Amino acid sequence: GESLETLLVERRGRVGLITLNRPKALNALNATLATELTGVLAEFDADEAIGCSVITGSEKAFAAGADVKEMAGKAYPQALLEDFIAVWDGFARLRKPVIAAVSGFALGGGCELAMLCDLIIASDSAKFGQPEIRLGVVPGIGGTQRLVRAIGKAKAMEMVLTGRMMEAAEAEQAGLVARVVPAADLLAEALKTAETIAAMPLPAVIAAKDCVDRAYELTLAEGVRYERRAFYALFASEDQKEGMAAFIEKRPPVFKHR
Ligand code: CAA
């Protein structure tokens, strides 16, 4: 497949697979990686042949955070004017689902990257943490906000204030990860989930992801109204007609948009 400076990129059927590839830096997220990753994800999102993406790292590290060596010397006006975190806003524009397959360290920006994805599947060796406080900063890619929403204030506050790591089992129990699997099965399990999603009718997939994401932004009443609009709108899709007809006729559906 396509090989960039910091990523390995392949297509596995309708699944786009991106492997973070800075092994000597435990996949620390430097500017090049951020640009390449958000660029490839935007390409996959626009590609009719792709229905879901998977981001993974190495067995030792999903990503050990933003690149401290690149950041350390920045001055405040430079950070503000460069706005070097803004590149990650690209995730908010993705309409197709992205799965994080996490093994080993997911620390700082690495934990935040996993949380930017739509769901996290973790190996039993995964370790999540927000150690920024030890560096004299706070999480900068949404960690203080997404961690609270994922695991609640008590555990999020403790992690952000102490920098302690959370093991896979605790992360699953707390609701940060969808599923924990043995390390040897991580990629296969993540790809299987991605293939399942990529085989679904795309208009419904896009609406489902969009509606679930609204739950973070809207009141319950507004969110339920938003969902109902999306639900009714899907009756305009050929895939709704096909999906329901196939169920009634007891045959497999043949979706047009997937
Ligand atoms: N940035 C730059 N380089 C990093 C890095 C990072 N975040 N994490 C690891 N590396 C580098 C190390 O400097 C080391 O490089 P050298 O071989 O050149 O010395 C190499 O990767 C291997 O790392 P270690 O030797 O430290 O490996 P270890 O197994 O002893 O420890 C670890 C692993 C506990 C993950 C440790 O590397 C570590 O604590 N890393 C930093 C974690 C961290 O603080 N992350 C938060 C970054 S700040 C941030 O992310 C801000 C934000 O929200 C935007």
Side-chain angles (χ1 to χ4, degrees), residues 56-239:
T56 196
S58 68
E59 195 173 336
K60 176 165 181 188
F62 177 70
D67 191 319
V68 177
K69 291 164 188 169
E70 189 180 69
M71 273 187 307
K74 287 191 195 295
Y76 169 69
Q78 181 194 3
L80 179 71
L81 296 176
E82 279 180 358
D83 197 7
F84 66 99
I85 301 294
V87 61
W88 298 101
D89 294 344
F91 273 76
R93 289 189 289 273
L94 302 175
R95 301 197 308 158
K96 296 173 187 169
V98 181
I99 297 174
V102 175
S103 182
F105 298 111
L107 301 179
C111 185
E112 294 169 296
L113 168 58
M115 291 191 290
L116 280 171
C117 297
D118 298 295
L119 67 97
I120 304 173
I121 299 178
S123 89
D124 47 20
S125 71
K127 290 178 183 62
F128 298 88
Q130 299 288 167
E132 287 89 344
I133 192 131
R134 298 180 192 185
L135 301 171
V137 291
V138 296
I141 317 177
T144 61
Q145 306 305 297
R146 292 196 180 87
L147 198 59
V148 174
R149 284 164 168 81
I151 67 175
K153 179 181 168 183
K155 277 180 186 286
M157 188 67 91
E158 189 202 15
M159 286 178 72
V160 169
L161 288 178
T162 68
R164 85 155 168 101
M165 290 186 212
M166 185 179 261
E167 305 274 337
E170 186 183 0
E172 182 181 30
Q173 209 239 327
L176 180 60
V177 311
R179 206 143 44 86
V180 177
V181 299
D185 303 339
L186 175 67
L187 188 58
E189 287 293 328
L191 288 171
K192 197 162 33 153
T193 302
E195 279 155 22
T196 300
I197 294 168
M200 298 298 171
L202 194 52
V205 168
I206 289 172
K209 165 171 159 156
D210 185 34
C211 286
V212 173
D213 280 340
R214 284 311 103 196
Y216 282 112
E217 313 286 347
L218 301 179
T219 64
L220 178 60
E222 284 168 349
V224 167
R225 206 171 293 137
Y226 190 93
E227 177 199 79
R228 198 165 304 170
R229 281 278 171 83
F231 176 74
Y232 291 150
L234 288 166
F235 284 78
S237 72
E238 290 149 300
D239 291 332

Side-chain angles (χ1 to χ4, degrees), residues 13-71:
R14 291 184 50 76
V15 175
L17 173 60
I18 302 171
T19 306
L20 309 181
N21 188 33
R22 297 190 69 211
K24 287 180 195 147
L26 301 184
N27 294 329
L29 310 170
N30 64 4
T32 304
L33 189 150
T35 302
E36 289 184 349
L37 178 57
T38 50
V40 171
L41 285 168
E43 277 173 35
F44 281 159
D45 206 56
D47 187 337
E48 280 182 17
I50 297 288
C52 186
S53 301
V54 173
I55 302 175
T56 196
S58 68
E59 195 173 336
K60 176 165 181 188
F62 177 70
D67 191 319
V68 177
K69 291 164 188 169
E70 189 180 69
M71 273 187 307

Side-chain angles (χ1 to χ4, degrees), residues 243-255:
M244 292 193 183
F247 173 81
I248 291 164
E249 293 160 20
K250 300 186 188 296
R251 61 172 175 82
V254 184
F255 292 121

